[in-house]
Amino acid sequence: MRLRLLPRKAWIVTVAALFMAVLTFALGQWQLSRAAQKIALHGAMIQRESLPALDGRKLDQPLNMAELVHRRIMLSGQWDAAHTVYLDNRPMEGRPGFWVMTPLRIDGSARSVLVQRGWIPRNFQDRTELAPVDTPAGSVQVVGRIAPAPGKLYEFQGATVGLIRQNLDIAAFAAETGLPLHPLLVVQTSPASEGLRRDWAPVEAGVEKHYGYAFQWFSLCALIVGLYAWFQWIAPRRRASHTQPNNPADKP
């Protein structure tokens, strides 16, 4: 029995459909793997949060900064109010406002750490008019968690300097101010005080978008396979069965 060779056009369609099906399926699998990585990372974060709070002076010891993120920390020191800056376009519960960022000189250490102290609302009439914030003098106690550097937003030229800024790079800020800053951020988590709110959004795994993308890729893969099967196999056979001549033996 001779094998029936497919026409060239059918081979091209078959190869293209196979390639796109494999590609979309692989992309769906990749999105699932990204979700699994984020779930594992979130689990590690939750585990770190349950550990005893670090003493701020331990930051001077050789430590793996990547393993410190989301650890609770207790700091004693003095605010460096002269170097307070306000990060713009940082909403809280849907309201536009600023994050208040102040360096803290750590007691018993020659270094300082940048603290995200809290949030204040924006003045809609005058963006440069800032709500009053009380910065206590003398030694203070700060309870918080270690966090990555603030996320970067789109910024216009000149928005990286001055009292009100769009973004804040810790290394660049240290060079600008001459402060010996640790390469990390502390988010203060104590109750609202000093004119500041601290209703920070909980840190989540953020896997929903990866599941959504995976569903889209798998759906596209299924659509490609379904269309190929319909146009290359099912529809031609249905047309062939409808065009076949009737058997004379079936006539009355």
Side-chain angles (χ1 to χ4, degrees):
M1 185 176 81
R2 294 181 60 188
L3 292 177
R4 180 181 160 191
L5 297 178
L6 292 175
R8 180 179 179 184
K9 183 178 179 180
W11 274 113
I12 294 174
V13 171
T14 300
V15 171
L18 179 61
F19 173 78
M20 291 304 299
V22 171
L23 176 64
T24 52
F25 184 80
L27 288 171
Q29 291 282 59
W30 178 71
Q31 288 293 340
L32 290 181
S33 68
R34 291 282 293 136
Q37 291 171 7
K38 287 194 173 182
I39 290 173
L41 187 63
H42 187 256
M45 180 203 73
I46 296 299
Q47 184 180 19
R48 290 175 197 161
E49 288 182 339
S50 65
L51 296 174
L54 285 172
D55 186 312
R57 290 170 295 185
K58 289 188 176 181
L59 295 178
D60 288 333
Q61 301 175 5
L63 296 169
N64 186 342
M65 293 300 175
E67 295 180 356
L68 293 179
V69 176
H70 302 299
R71 281 286 303 268
R72 293 185 299 121
I73 189 169
M74 297 183 66
L75 298 164
S76 297
Q78 297 84 40
W79 293 119
D80 188 349
H83 291 117
T84 294
V85 293
Y86 298 79
L87 292 193
D88 200 357
N89 293 315
R90 309 290 171 156
M92 180 172 284
E93 297 180 351
R95 296 179 60 193
F98 303 89
W99 287 350
V100 180
M101 319 289 286
T102 304
L104 182 77
R105 294 190 295 268
I106 302 173
D107 288 341
S109 172
R111 305 186 73 180
S112 301
V113 64
L114 188 64
V115 180
Q116 184 175 309
R117 295 175 56 196
W119 178 90
I120 58 172
R122 173 188 285 182
N123 186 313
F124 287 100
Q125 281 70 41
D126 185 358
R127 169 179 170 271
T128 62
E129 184 177 339
L130 300 168
V133 174
D134 179 29
T135 304
S139 184
V140 295
Q141 302 286 326
V142 175
V143 178
R145 59 177 170 82
I146 299 173
K152 295 196 67 173
L153 304 178
Y154 178 80
E155 64 187 15
F156 297 99
Q157 187 175 3
T160 58
V161 296
L163 186 63
I164 297 175
R165 309 183 181 205
Q166 189 76 354
N167 295 301
L168 186 63
D169 180 87
I170 296 178
F173 187 63
E176 173 192 340
T177 59
L179 295 174
L181 290 174
H182 285 288
L184 53 83
L185 176 72
V186 172
V187 177
Q188 191 170 353
T189 56
S190 51
S193 63
E194 303 164 358
L196 297 163
R197 290 184 58 185
R198 301 189 181 98
D199 302 320
W200 307 119
V203 180
E204 299 178 346
V207 298
E208 292 79 11
K209 67 177 181 179
H210 294 293
Y211 287 139
Y213 292 149
F215 176 78
Q216 292 176 12
W217 287 120
F218 287 139
S219 298
L220 184 57
C221 178
L223 178 63
I224 292 170
V225 173
L227 290 175
Y228 176 83
W230 174 262
F231 287 107
Q232 296 298 314
W233 297 93
I234 300 174
R237 280 159 176 73
R238 291 186 65 180
R239 288 194 299 267
S241 64
H242 291 159
T243 57
Q244 284 180 357
N246 294 327
N247 190 339
D250 294 337
K251 294 182 180 181

